[in-house]
Amino acid sequence: MYRLTVMYGHPEDPAEFDRYYHEVHIPLAKQIKGLTGWTIGKCLSAEAGSPPPYYLIVSLYAESAAAMQTILESPEGQATIADVPNFATGGVMFMYDEEEVLIPVQLGTS
């Protein structure tokens, strides 16, 4: 399985980031076809009293690197990528990896 991890830095206005992300960016991204999975999570610090290095981490999954490239190069993928600067005031980092599942995860739906 191939994963794109998107790590968002701490935004200038967290409430506005959350509003935009949920009301605008997620509906835009849901138009992307071909993803095999998608998770998001707000970061918590591993060290008491210090902020976590990132505000939000997103994982997008595809069957392969080629499939992910096709997904991101689609008109829907390009529109979603182009939207990121509209709300990611704390910066953003993208990382790719071939994920090796050691213990399968069962996530609840919300």
Side-chain angles (χ1 to χ4, degrees):
M1 184 167 308
Y2 197 75
R3 175 174 58 182
L4 164 58
T5 302
V6 184
M7 296 169 291
Y8 291 99
H10 294 274
E12 295 169 6
D13 182 346
E16 177 56 19
F17 177 100
D18 292 346
R19 183 203 67 76
Y20 190 97
Y21 191 81
H22 289 279
E23 293 179 13
V24 178
H25 192 70
I26 287 177
L28 184 63
K30 281 186 174 182
Q31 295 176 32
I32 297 173
K33 294 167 187 59
L35 293 173
T36 60
W38 179 6
T39 63
I40 66 172
K42 280 208 181 159
C43 299
L44 303 172
S45 182
E47 297 178 27
S50 65
Y54 296 99
Y55 182 73
L56 181 76
I57 295 180
V58 178
S59 293
L60 303 173
Y61 296 88
E63 292 297 327
S64 64
M68 183 66 78
Q69 182 175 351
T70 298
I71 290 165
L72 296 177
E73 289 177 351
S74 71
E76 298 85 0
Q78 289 295 295
T80 301
I81 292 167
D83 186 51
V84 171
N86 293 329
F87 66 92
T89 58
V92 63
M93 179 181 290
F94 297 86
M95 290 187 353
Y96 297 92
D97 70 278
E98 286 281 345
E99 186 172 70
E100 179 181 353
V101 178
L102 302 178
I103 299 174
V105 176
Q106 288 281 9
L107 297 176
T109 58
S110 51

XYZ file of all heavy atoms in Angstrom:
850
model
N 0.845 -1.183 0.000
C 0.000 0.000 0.000
C 0.886 1.241 0.000
O 1.926 1.267 0.640
C -0.891 -0.010 1.238
C -1.865 1.131 1.254
S -3.178 0.993 2.480
C -3.819 -0.626 2.142
N 0.460 2.244 -0.699
C 1.228 3.476 -0.841
C 0.505 4.597 -0.099
O -0.720 4.716 -0.191
C 1.356 3.824 -2.324
C 2.438 4.816 -2.613
C 3.774 4.448 -2.584
C 2.128 6.129 -2.949
C 4.782 5.361 -2.877
C 3.129 7.041 -3.244
C 4.446 6.652 -3.198
O 5.434 7.549 -3.487
N 1.259 5.399 0.642
C 0.653 6.440 1.465
C 1.286 7.798 1.195
O 2.495 7.933 1.075
C 0.818 6.111 2.944
C 0.309 7.213 3.875
C 0.349 6.823 5.323
N 1.707 6.473 5.730
C 2.018 6.048 6.952
N 1.079 5.925 7.870
N 3.260 5.747 7.249
N 0.423 8.800 1.122
C 0.838 10.201 1.119
C 0.434 10.754 2.475
O -0.745 10.701 2.849
C 0.138 10.982 0.008
C 0.178 12.515 0.101
C 1.607 13.042 0.137
C -0.606 13.133 -1.037
N 1.403 11.234 3.232
C 1.132 11.858 4.528
C 1.284 13.357 4.361
O 2.287 13.837 3.832
C 2.115 11.347 5.605
O 1.994 9.925 5.687
C 1.812 11.962 6.961
N 0.259 14.092 4.795
C 0.258 15.548 4.724
C 0.291 16.061 6.162
O -0.584 15.732 6.963
C -0.997 16.075 3.991
C -0.932 17.592 3.853
C -1.161 15.402 2.642
N 1.311 16.843 6.488
C 1.472 17.363 7.845
C 1.334 18.878 7.813
O 2.148 19.563 7.194
C 2.827 16.934 8.399
C 2.926 15.430 8.547
S 4.589 14.833 8.887
C 5.386 15.165 7.326
N 0.295 19.364 8.470
C 0.017 20.795 8.501
C 0.620 21.413 9.757
O 0.398 20.922 10.869
C -1.494 21.050 8.514
C -2.174 20.678 7.219
C -2.840 19.464 7.087
C -2.145 21.542 6.130
C -3.469 19.128 5.893
C -2.764 21.201 4.934
C -3.430 19.997 4.833
O -4.041 19.670 3.647
N 1.370 22.510 9.560
C 1.904 23.257 10.689
C 0.792 23.998 11.413
O -0.358 24.054 10.954
N 1.124 24.563 12.552
C 0.136 25.281 13.364
C -0.338 26.535 12.621
O 0.462 27.412 12.296
C 0.733 25.653 14.725
C 1.036 24.443 15.553
N 0.102 23.854 16.355
C 2.160 23.688 15.643
C 0.627 22.801 16.941
N 1.880 22.675 16.523
N -1.641 26.616 12.340
C -2.167 27.755 11.589
C -2.201 29.027 12.418
O -2.232 28.982 13.659
C -3.576 27.305 11.214
C -3.952 26.328 12.276
C -2.681 25.642 12.682
N -2.230 30.158 11.729
C -2.352 31.453 12.409
C -3.663 31.550 13.172
O -3.707 32.113 14.261
C -2.260 32.585 11.377
C -0.909 32.678 10.706
C -0.903 33.608 9.505
O -1.924 34.290 9.246
O 0.135 33.645 8.806
N -4.745 31.003 12.623
C -6.073 31.035 13.241
C -6.640 29.614 13.212
O -7.254 29.206 12.222
C -6.980 32.002 12.470
C -8.369 32.137 13.059
O -8.759 31.308 13.908
O -9.069 33.086 12.667
N -6.429 28.837 14.285
C -6.874 27.447 14.284
C -8.372 27.267 14.021
O -8.760 26.344 13.310
C -6.504 26.947 15.685
C -5.366 27.817 16.094
C -5.674 29.169 15.504
N -9.201 28.133 14.556
C -10.644 28.009 14.340
C -10.986 28.184 12.860
O -11.821 27.450 12.319
C -11.406 29.016 15.195
N -10.346 29.141 12.197
C -10.600 29.362 10.780
C -10.042 28.208 9.949
O -10.657 27.783 8.974
C -10.023 30.696 10.305
C -10.176 30.956 8.825
C -11.612 30.903 8.294
O -12.580 31.008 9.078
O -11.775 30.741 7.067
N -8.886 27.684 10.326
C -8.333 26.508 9.654
C -9.329 25.356 9.711
O -9.652 24.734 8.696
C -7.010 26.090 10.297
C -6.399 24.834 9.713
C -5.371 24.916 8.787
C -6.843 23.574 10.103
C -4.799 23.764 8.247
C -6.286 22.422 9.569
C -5.258 22.521 8.641
N -9.822 25.071 10.922
C -10.770 23.969 11.107
C -12.040 24.185 10.290
O -12.535 23.263 9.643
C -11.135 23.812 12.584
C -9.977 23.334 13.433
O -8.956 22.857 12.881
O -10.082 23.446 14.665
N -12.567 25.396 10.315
C -13.794 25.694 9.571
C -13.564 25.467 8.079
O -14.318 24.757 7.422
C -14.252 27.139 9.801
C -15.584 27.462 9.081
C -15.756 28.948 8.817
N -14.805 29.488 7.853
C -14.869 29.305 6.517
N -15.815 28.576 5.975
N -13.953 29.859 5.718
N -12.514 26.051 7.549
C -12.231 25.940 6.120
C -11.943 24.487 5.738
O -12.449 23.991 4.735
C -11.046 26.835 5.740
C -10.865 26.951 4.243
C -11.382 28.042 3.560
C -10.198 25.973 3.510
C -11.235 28.158 2.180
C -10.052 26.074 2.143
C -10.573 27.171 1.485
O -10.438 27.269 0.128
N -11.134 23.819 6.537
C -10.757 22.447 6.226
C -11.995 21.556 6.119
O -12.144 20.778 5.179
C -9.782 21.899 7.273
C -9.180 20.589 6.853
C -8.103 20.549 5.977
C -9.712 19.388 7.298
C -7.570 19.349 5.552
C -9.183 18.172 6.876
C -8.116 18.161 6.006
O -7.596 16.965 5.575
N -12.897 21.685 7.095
C -14.081 20.825 7.125
C -15.188 21.266 6.166
O -15.876 20.418 5.598
C -14.619 20.714 8.555
C -13.714 19.889 9.424
N -13.732 18.518 9.429
C -12.752 20.255 10.293
C -12.815 18.067 10.260
N -12.202 19.101 10.800
N -15.349 22.556 5.976
C -16.458 23.046 5.140
C -16.089 23.191 3.662
O -16.969 23.128 2.806
C -16.966 24.394 5.662
C -17.628 24.299 7.022
C -18.098 25.645 7.549
O -18.137 26.639 6.786
O -18.414 25.711 8.760
N -14.819 23.408 3.361
C -14.408 23.645 1.973
C -13.464 22.553 1.467
O -13.724 21.927 0.433
C -13.744 25.043 1.814
C -13.285 25.267 0.379
C -14.686 26.136 2.270
N -12.360 22.315 2.183
C -11.328 21.422 1.656
C -11.775 19.959 1.617
O -11.560 19.276 0.599
C -10.031 21.575 2.459
C -8.864 20.921 1.805
N -8.292 21.404 0.647
C -8.164 19.800 2.132
C -7.281 20.631 0.291
N -7.190 19.641 1.173
N -12.365 19.462 2.684
C -12.805 18.060 2.680
C -13.833 17.806 1.576
O -13.684 16.836 0.824
C -13.310 17.607 4.062
C -12.123 17.436 5.009
C -14.109 16.303 3.955
C -12.497 17.061 6.432
N -14.885 18.644 1.427
C -15.813 18.397 0.316
C -15.124 18.418 -1.055
O -15.465 17.620 -1.933
C -16.836 19.527 0.445
C -16.822 19.869 1.895
C -15.377 19.705 2.308
N -14.136 19.283 -1.226
C -13.379 19.327 -2.475
C -12.599 18.024 -2.661
O -12.641 17.394 -3.722
C -12.435 20.534 -2.454
C -11.624 20.814 -3.698
C -12.536 21.151 -4.869
C -10.661 21.972 -3.434
N -11.914 17.601 -1.612
C -11.091 16.389 -1.682
C -11.935 15.128 -1.855
O -11.468 14.148 -2.455
C -10.220 16.285 -0.435
N -13.152 15.124 -1.357
C -14.021 13.948 -1.503
C -14.392 13.686 -2.959
O -14.875 12.601 -3.281
C -15.285 14.105 -0.659
C -15.052 13.813 0.803
C -16.362 13.842 1.576
C -16.136 13.399 3.009
N -17.390 13.375 3.765
N -14.137 14.638 -3.824
C -14.410 14.449 -5.251
C -13.318 13.617 -5.936
O -13.505 13.137 -7.045
C -14.555 15.805 -5.943
C -15.749 16.593 -5.452
C -15.822 17.970 -6.082
O -15.413 18.165 -7.216
N -16.344 18.921 -5.336
N -12.188 13.453 -5.258
C -11.079 12.668 -5.809
C -11.499 11.199 -5.865
O -12.028 10.661 -4.893
C -9.809 12.825 -4.947
C -9.322 14.272 -4.959
C -8.716 11.882 -5.410
C -8.183 14.535 -3.997
N -11.229 10.572 -6.984
C -11.555 9.156 -7.157
C -10.281 8.331 -7.130
O -9.234 8.756 -7.594
C -12.289 8.959 -8.477
C -13.653 9.619 -8.488
C -14.209 9.686 -9.895
C -15.488 10.478 -9.966
N -15.389 11.850 -9.532
N -10.379 7.136 -6.566
C -9.271 6.197 -6.609
C -8.543 5.970 -5.298
O -7.756 5.023 -5.187
N -8.775 6.807 -4.285
C -8.126 6.586 -2.992
C -8.688 5.317 -2.360
O -9.882 5.036 -2.445
C -8.349 7.770 -2.053
C -7.682 9.085 -2.440
C -8.138 10.199 -1.513
C -6.166 8.956 -2.423
N -7.818 4.557 -1.691
C -8.262 3.353 -0.990
C -8.456 3.601 0.500
O -8.967 2.743 1.212
C -7.272 2.201 -1.193
O -5.996 2.601 -0.686
C -7.152 1.827 -2.663
N -8.042 4.770 0.975
C -8.214 5.131 2.378
C -7.856 6.580 2.598
O -7.160 7.190 1.782
N -8.362 7.123 3.721
C -8.120 8.536 4.040
C -8.379 8.705 5.525
O -9.447 8.361 6.019
C -9.069 9.389 3.230
C -9.030 10.873 3.409
C -8.152 11.617 4.143
C -9.936 11.809 2.826
N -8.436 12.942 4.046
C -9.543 13.087 3.242
C -11.041 11.690 2.006
C -10.224 14.238 2.864
C -11.705 12.831 1.634
C -11.304 14.089 2.043
N -7.392 9.192 6.265
C -7.563 9.469 7.684
C -7.043 10.870 7.987
O -6.156 11.379 7.291
C -6.820 8.454 8.584
O -5.409 8.552 8.345
C -7.300 7.032 8.330
N -7.616 11.485 9.014
C -7.119 12.768 9.505
C -7.048 12.692 11.021
O -7.805 11.947 11.647
C -7.981 13.979 9.063
C -9.373 13.925 9.693
C -8.081 14.048 7.555
C -10.197 15.182 9.439
N -6.148 13.459 11.609
C -6.054 13.497 13.058
C -5.331 14.736 13.533
O -4.283 15.090 12.991
N -5.930 15.388 14.537
C -5.245 16.520 15.171
C -4.140 15.976 16.061
O -4.310 14.977 16.752
C -6.227 17.345 16.001
C -7.043 18.267 15.149
C -7.458 19.477 15.931
C -8.292 20.364 15.047
N -9.114 21.257 15.836
N -3.023 16.643 16.034
C -1.848 16.182 16.769
C -1.916 16.527 18.242
O -2.414 17.592 18.628
C -0.590 16.793 16.156
S -0.360 16.318 14.446
N -1.386 15.629 19.033
C -1.225 15.828 20.466
C 0.265 15.700 20.766
O 0.969 14.937 20.106
C -2.004 14.773 21.253
C -3.499 14.700 20.958
C -4.118 13.496 21.653
C -4.192 15.982 21.395
N 0.721 16.414 21.759
C 2.141 16.382 22.089
C 2.488 15.127 22.872
O 1.729 14.674 23.730
C 2.517 17.617 22.911
O 3.903 17.588 23.190
N 3.640 14.578 22.583
C 4.158 13.452 23.350
C 4.881 13.939 24.603
O 5.164 13.153 25.501
C 5.107 12.622 22.489
N 5.155 15.243 24.654
C 5.854 15.828 25.795
C 4.937 16.825 26.492
O 4.499 17.807 25.886
C 7.123 16.545 25.328
C 8.126 15.624 24.685
C 9.352 16.379 24.199
O 9.684 17.443 24.763
O 9.978 15.904 23.245
N 4.670 16.589 27.756
C 3.788 17.479 28.517
C 4.333 18.898 28.506
O 5.528 19.129 28.659
C 3.654 16.978 29.956
N 3.445 19.855 28.265
C 3.820 21.255 28.319
C 4.405 21.823 27.043
O 4.723 23.010 27.001
N 4.576 21.005 26.024
C 5.099 21.543 24.763
C 4.120 21.199 23.644
O 3.496 20.142 23.652
C 6.483 20.985 24.468
O 6.416 19.594 24.242
N 3.995 22.112 22.677
C 3.069 21.845 21.573
C 3.608 20.753 20.648
O 4.826 20.570 20.544
C 2.990 23.186 20.846
C 4.282 23.853 21.154
C 4.670 23.401 22.539
N 2.734 20.031 19.992
C 3.205 19.035 19.023
C 3.829 19.744 17.830
O 3.540 20.919 17.574
C 1.925 18.296 18.625
C 0.833 19.297 18.859
C 1.271 20.117 20.032
N 4.675 19.070 17.085
C 5.330 19.721 15.941
C 4.376 20.071 14.805
O 4.666 20.957 14.016
C 6.379 18.711 15.488
C 5.959 17.412 16.066
C 5.164 17.720 17.288
N 3.243 19.383 14.722
C 2.264 19.651 13.664
C 0.877 19.813 14.265
O 0.606 19.315 15.353
C 2.257 18.523 12.616
C 3.561 18.432 11.878
C 4.517 17.497 12.245
C 3.853 19.312 10.852
C 5.732 17.434 11.583
C 5.065 19.265 10.194
C 6.001 18.327 10.563
O 7.200 18.285 9.919
N 0.014 20.476 13.531
C -1.367 20.725 13.958
C -2.299 19.585 13.538
O -3.117 19.120 14.322
C -1.856 22.047 13.354
C -3.257 22.420 13.774
C -3.512 22.871 15.059
C -4.310 22.330 12.875
C -4.800 23.208 15.451
C -5.597 22.677 13.259
C -5.835 23.119 14.548
O -7.115 23.455 14.935
N -2.151 19.129 12.299
C -3.027 18.107 11.743
C -2.210 17.210 10.825
O -1.349 17.704 10.081
C -4.160 18.763 10.936
C -5.196 17.837 10.306
C -6.169 17.331 11.379
C -5.985 18.581 9.227
N -2.456 15.908 10.889
C -1.806 14.958 9.990
C -2.890 14.226 9.220
O -3.873 13.752 9.789
C -0.911 13.964 10.752
C 0.251 14.706 11.421
C -0.380 12.883 9.807
C 1.185 13.822 12.204
N -2.685 14.134 7.907
C -3.624 13.462 7.009
C -2.881 12.348 6.291
O -1.743 12.532 5.856
C -4.175 14.474 5.970
C -5.110 13.785 4.994
C -4.850 15.638 6.668
N -3.519 11.193 6.177
C -2.948 10.085 5.412
C -3.908 9.723 4.286
O -5.097 9.502 4.527
C -2.721 8.857 6.301
O -1.716 9.113 7.251
N -3.376 9.684 3.081
C -4.142 9.287 1.897
C -3.497 8.023 1.356
O -2.265 7.944 1.243
C -4.107 10.385 0.834
C -4.607 11.767 1.271
C -4.341 12.781 0.173
C -6.076 11.708 1.617
N -4.314 7.035 1.003
C -3.804 5.739 0.573
C -4.219 5.409 -0.853
O -5.330 5.730 -1.274
C -4.325 4.637 1.504
C -3.830 4.770 2.913
C -4.508 5.543 3.843
C -2.667 4.126 3.312
C -4.045 5.663 5.150
C -2.198 4.242 4.622
C -2.900 5.009 5.527
O -2.432 5.140 6.808
N -3.320 4.724 -1.554
C -3.585 4.226 -2.899
C -2.902 2.863 -3.033
O -2.051 2.498 -2.212
C -3.055 5.194 -3.950
N -3.253 2.144 -4.066
C -2.696 0.806 -4.276
C -1.204 0.825 -4.589
O -0.491 -0.117 -4.261
C -3.454 0.094 -5.391
C -4.882 -0.250 -5.029
C -5.001 -1.233 -3.873
O -4.125 -2.119 -3.730
O -5.959 -1.097 -3.098
N -0.735 1.899 -5.229
C 0.666 1.944 -5.650
C 1.088 3.398 -5.850
O 0.256 4.305 -5.863
C 0.844 1.194 -6.967
O 0.121 1.853 -7.997
N 2.393 3.599 -6.044
C 2.909 4.936 -6.333
C 2.315 5.452 -7.641
O 1.934 6.623 -7.747
C 4.431 4.916 -6.407
N 2.195 4.584 -8.642
C 1.621 4.997 -9.926
C 0.156 5.397 -9.768
O -0.286 6.386 -10.352
C 1.755 3.869 -10.950
N -0.573 4.639 -8.959
C -1.985 4.976 -8.720
C -2.100 6.322 -8.007
O -2.950 7.149 -8.361
C -2.669 3.879 -7.910
N -1.230 6.573 -7.023
C -1.265 7.850 -6.307
C -0.955 8.992 -7.273
O -1.594 10.044 -7.225
C -0.287 7.854 -5.132
C -0.321 9.126 -4.302
S -1.887 9.396 -3.420
C -1.685 8.266 -2.033
N 0.022 8.798 -8.136
C 0.375 9.835 -9.105
C -0.821 10.145 -10.011
O -1.121 11.308 -10.273
C 1.579 9.407 -9.937
C 2.012 10.465 -10.928
C 3.285 10.072 -11.662
O 3.953 9.097 -11.337
N 3.623 10.841 -12.670
N -1.508 9.117 -10.478
C -2.683 9.306 -11.324
C -3.772 10.060 -10.568
O -4.401 10.975 -11.107
C -3.215 7.945 -11.817
O -2.202 7.323 -12.609
C -4.488 8.102 -12.629
N -3.981 9.695 -9.318
C -4.987 10.356 -8.474
C -4.659 11.839 -8.321
O -5.518 12.696 -8.495
C -5.061 9.657 -7.100
C -5.693 8.267 -7.243
C -5.821 10.513 -6.082
C -5.491 7.366 -6.039
N -3.415 12.145 -7.994
C -3.020 13.534 -7.751
C -2.984 14.361 -9.033
O -3.191 15.569 -8.987
C -1.672 13.588 -7.043
C -1.647 12.967 -5.639
C -0.236 13.010 -5.077
C -2.636 13.644 -4.712
N -2.746 13.727 -10.163
C -2.701 14.446 -11.433
C -4.079 14.630 -12.062
O -4.211 15.359 -13.042
C -1.774 13.721 -12.413
C -0.315 13.843 -12.015
C 0.631 13.073 -12.921
O 0.153 12.288 -13.784
O 1.849 13.235 -12.751
N -5.106 14.004 -11.480
C -6.467 14.164 -12.001
C -6.930 15.602 -11.764
O -6.377 16.306 -10.906
C -7.418 13.203 -11.290
O -7.635 13.611 -9.945
N -7.939 16.071 -12.497
C -8.450 17.427 -12.251
C -8.892 17.635 -10.802
O -8.637 18.686 -10.216
C -9.631 17.544 -13.219
C -9.320 16.582 -14.314
C -8.590 15.439 -13.647
N -9.499 16.612 -10.201
C -9.943 16.723 -8.805
C -8.746 16.780 -7.852
O -8.758 17.538 -6.881
C -10.846 15.529 -8.439
C -12.110 15.456 -9.243
C -11.959 14.750 -10.594
O -10.845 14.294 -10.953
O -12.983 14.666 -11.306
N -7.718 15.987 -8.143
C -6.511 16.019 -7.325
C -5.804 17.355 -7.435
O -5.359 17.933 -6.438
N -5.703 17.885 -8.644
C -5.058 19.179 -8.858
C -5.829 20.305 -8.176
O -5.230 21.215 -7.595
C -4.907 19.453 -10.352
C -3.869 18.568 -11.023
C -2.474 18.842 -10.491
O -1.942 19.929 -10.678
N -1.884 17.864 -9.822
N -7.161 20.267 -8.228
C -7.975 21.294 -7.567
C -7.782 21.239 -6.053
O -7.693 22.279 -5.386
C -9.453 21.110 -7.924
N -7.676 20.039 -5.510
C -7.483 19.882 -4.063
C -6.110 20.402 -3.649
O -5.980 21.123 -2.658
C -7.659 18.405 -3.669
O -8.977 17.987 -4.048
C -7.483 18.217 -2.172
N -5.094 20.054 -4.403
C -3.736 20.536 -4.106
C -3.685 22.063 -4.214
O -3.091 22.739 -3.368
C -2.713 19.884 -5.050
C -2.597 18.390 -4.743
C -1.353 20.572 -4.940
C -1.859 17.590 -5.806
N -4.322 22.617 -5.224
C -4.323 24.073 -5.419
C -5.043 24.799 -4.286
O -4.765 25.981 -4.038
C -4.976 24.421 -6.757
N -5.929 24.108 -3.584
C -6.674 24.731 -2.482
C -5.850 24.858 -1.204
O -6.138 25.699 -0.358
C -7.947 23.918 -2.200
C -8.843 24.562 -1.174
O -9.154 25.775 -1.323
O -9.242 23.881 -0.212
N -4.820 24.042 -1.035
C -4.045 24.011 0.210
C -3.537 25.389 0.641
O -3.686 25.765 1.812
C -2.901 22.968 0.132
C -1.964 23.081 1.328
C -3.490 21.561 0.045
N -2.965 26.217 -0.227
C -2.490 27.536 0.221
C -3.605 28.455 0.743
O -3.312 29.429 1.431
C -1.852 28.136 -1.029
C -1.512 26.971 -1.888
C -2.573 25.951 -1.622
N -4.858 28.131 0.445
C -5.967 28.966 0.914
C -6.206 28.862 2.414
O -6.888 29.714 2.983
C -7.262 28.590 0.167
C -7.184 28.940 -1.284
O -6.523 29.897 -1.683
N -7.861 28.157 -2.111
N -5.660 27.835 3.070
C -5.911 27.680 4.503
C -4.692 27.249 5.309
O -4.681 27.382 6.532
C -7.060 26.674 4.739
C -6.723 25.277 4.313
C -6.185 24.375 5.207
C -6.933 24.869 3.010
C -5.869 23.084 4.815
C -6.632 23.584 2.596
C -6.095 22.689 3.507
N -3.649 26.753 4.681
C -2.489 26.210 5.394
C -1.493 27.313 5.756
O -0.354 27.324 5.288
C -1.824 25.127 4.553
N -1.922 28.220 6.615
C -1.096 29.370 6.991
C 0.111 28.996 7.849
O 1.031 29.795 7.985
C -1.935 30.419 7.741
O -2.514 29.809 8.904
C -3.042 30.980 6.847
N 0.118 27.784 8.401
C 1.248 27.339 9.209
C 2.226 26.481 8.432
O 3.127 25.882 9.006
N 2.042 26.413 7.127
C 2.901 25.588 6.286
C 2.377 24.171 6.189
O 1.492 23.762 6.944
N 2.928 23.436 5.249
C 2.501 22.062 5.014
C 3.673 21.266 4.469
O 4.535 21.812 3.768
C 1.284 22.017 4.050
C 1.649 22.576 2.685
C 0.697 20.636 3.939
N 3.737 19.994 4.848
C 4.794 19.103 4.357
C 4.123 17.833 3.832
O 3.202 17.312 4.454
C 5.763 18.738 5.476
C 6.862 17.791 5.022
S 7.987 17.341 6.349
C 8.828 18.904 6.573
N 4.595 17.353 2.675
C 4.081 16.132 2.066
C 5.179 15.078 2.104
O 6.324 15.372 1.777
C 3.698 16.383 0.605
C 2.579 17.378 0.432
C 2.836 18.741 0.371
C 1.275 16.946 0.326
C 1.821 19.662 0.207
C 0.238 17.862 0.159
C 0.513 19.211 0.099
N 4.816 13.853 2.493
C 5.764 12.738 2.501
C 5.083 11.509 1.912
O 3.898 11.270 2.159
C 6.228 12.412 3.922
C 7.102 13.455 4.521
S 7.851 13.045 6.140
C 7.134 11.547 6.648
N 5.833 10.737 1.157
C 5.329 9.511 0.557
C 6.058 8.314 1.158
O 7.238 8.409 1.489
C 5.574 9.513 -0.954
C 4.860 10.613 -1.685
C 5.474 11.841 -1.914
C 3.565 10.426 -2.152
C 4.808 12.856 -2.594
C 2.893 11.429 -2.832
C 3.528 12.641 -3.049
O 2.868 13.642 -3.718
N 5.342 7.183 1.270
C 6.010 5.960 1.691
C 5.222 4.737 1.254
O 4.029 4.811 1.002
C 6.226 5.945 3.219
C 4.953 5.785 4.016
O 4.244 6.780 4.239
O 4.659 4.653 4.421
N 5.954 3.626 1.143
C 5.341 2.321 0.952
C 5.056 1.821 2.362
O 5.977 1.587 3.139
C 6.305 1.361 0.251
C 6.507 1.625 -1.205
C 5.371 1.101 -2.079
O 4.559 0.279 -1.601
O 5.304 1.533 -3.234
N 3.795 1.685 2.673
C 3.437 1.297 4.031
C 3.432 -0.218 4.175
O 2.893 -0.929 3.328
C 2.054 1.854 4.391
C 1.683 1.602 5.824
C 0.410 2.325 6.204
O -0.657 1.921 5.719
O 0.498 3.283 6.975
N 4.049 -0.702 5.240
C 4.048 -2.116 5.579
C 3.161 -2.284 6.806
O 3.448 -1.730 7.869
C 5.471 -2.583 5.888
C 5.573 -4.023 6.266
C 6.990 -4.440 6.588
O 7.927 -3.649 6.389
O 7.146 -5.573 7.068
N 2.076 -2.999 6.659
C 1.122 -3.188 7.753
C 1.568 -4.376 8.589
O 1.622 -5.504 8.115
C -0.311 -3.399 7.225
C -1.275 -3.641 8.374
C -0.744 -2.203 6.393
N 1.890 -4.127 9.850
C 2.311 -5.182 10.768
C 1.120 -5.736 11.548
O 1.038 -6.934 11.784
C 3.391 -4.667 11.714
C 4.645 -4.133 11.018
C 5.632 -3.607 12.037
C 5.286 -5.199 10.147
N 0.240 -4.864 11.978
C -1.009 -5.246 12.632
C -2.103 -4.402 11.992
O -2.045 -3.177 12.063
C -0.980 -4.990 14.160
C 0.126 -5.811 14.819
C -2.344 -5.306 14.769
C 0.318 -5.498 16.299
N -3.090 -5.002 11.344
C -4.148 -4.227 10.696
C -4.901 -3.367 11.706
O -5.131 -3.772 12.845
C -5.064 -5.293 10.097
C -4.236 -6.527 10.020
C -3.258 -6.430 11.145
N -5.275 -2.181 11.269
C -5.994 -1.228 12.110
C -7.454 -1.213 11.687
O -7.763 -1.160 10.503
C -5.390 0.191 11.953
C -6.182 1.202 12.743
C -3.948 0.190 12.378
N -8.351 -1.256 12.668
C -9.774 -1.104 12.407
C -10.169 0.270 12.925
O -10.094 0.527 14.121
C -10.582 -2.177 13.153
C -10.422 -3.556 12.574
C -11.265 -3.742 11.325
O -11.845 -2.811 10.777
N -11.316 -4.962 10.853
N -10.549 1.147 12.024
C -10.966 2.487 12.413
C -12.477 2.571 12.355
O -13.095 2.066 11.426
C -10.355 3.540 11.475
C -8.843 3.639 11.463
C -8.389 4.643 10.417
C -8.326 4.040 12.820
N -13.060 3.253 13.341
C -14.491 3.499 13.326
C -14.806 4.603 12.327
O -13.933 5.360 11.923
N -16.027 4.655 11.890
C -16.437 5.724 10.977
C -17.124 6.818 11.778
O -17.720 6.576 12.817
C -17.397 5.205 9.892
O -18.532 4.621 10.528
C -16.708 4.175 9.024
N -17.024 8.029 11.271
C -17.674 9.145 11.962
C -18.554 9.902 11.013
O -18.575 9.722 9.861
C -16.647 10.084 12.567
O -15.679 10.463 11.631
